[in-house]
């Protein structure tokens, strides 16, 4: 039995995933519109945490993710970013100049 499910269309959800350093934040804006902030690797799947989470709750990243934000270019904030950008190919991308 699957325990996780996507938020309802009218729900705002903020999910923080990570090992305590270099997290990934996912924001559900409603109506299956998502923002991904930073990227870390899921230690269980060895895939980007955002993509693992979306798979777990049956969200299709290429349709749902509207924006990907990178706060800064430290390795613990961008691991898995390449694969995330490839799978979220319709999302806008925003990066800090820091």
């Amino acid at each position: 039995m699957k325990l996780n499910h996507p938020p309802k269309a009218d729900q705002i959800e903020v999910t923080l995933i990570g090992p305590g350093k270099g997290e990934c934040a996912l924001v559900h804006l409603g109506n299956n519109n998502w923002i991904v902030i930073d990227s870390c690797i899921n230690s269980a799947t060895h895939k980007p945490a955002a993509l693992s989470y979306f798979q777990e709750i049956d969200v299709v990243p290429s349709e749902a993710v509207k924006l990907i934000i990178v706060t800064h270019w430290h390795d613990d904030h961008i691991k898995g970013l390449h694969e995330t950008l490839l799978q979220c190919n319709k999302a806008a991308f925003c990066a800090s100049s820091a």
Side-chain angles (χ1 to χ4, degrees):
M1 182 169 134
K2 194 169 200 172
L3 299 177
N4 293 323
H5 52 82
K8 294 178 182 175
D10 64 346
Q11 289 180 318
I12 302 288
E13 176 185 284
V14 177
T15 304
L16 186 62
I17 305 169
K21 178 181 175 188
E23 284 80 12
C24 172
L26 305 172
V27 182
H28 179 253
L29 303 170
N31 298 317
N32 197 36
N33 293 306
W34 291 83
I35 296 173
V36 175
I37 304 169
D38 288 340
S39 183
C40 65
I41 298 294
N42 179 320
S43 60
T45 64
H46 304 290
K47 293 183 178 184
L51 300 180
S52 293
Y53 181 75
F54 289 141
Q55 182 178 11
E56 195 174 299
I57 64 169
D58 294 325
V59 167
V60 179
S62 62
E63 296 173 9
V65 177
K66 306 304 181 203
L67 177 63
I68 298 171
I69 300 170
V70 173
T71 60
H72 62 284
W73 293 103
H74 287 164
D75 196 41
D76 60 334
H77 288 262
I78 62 168
K79 284 188 177 183
L81 179 62
H82 178 76
E83 187 176 346
T84 301
L85 287 167
L86 289 175
Q87 288 200 30
C88 304
N89 57 352
K90 296 178 186 170
F93 178 72
C94 179
S96 165
S97 62

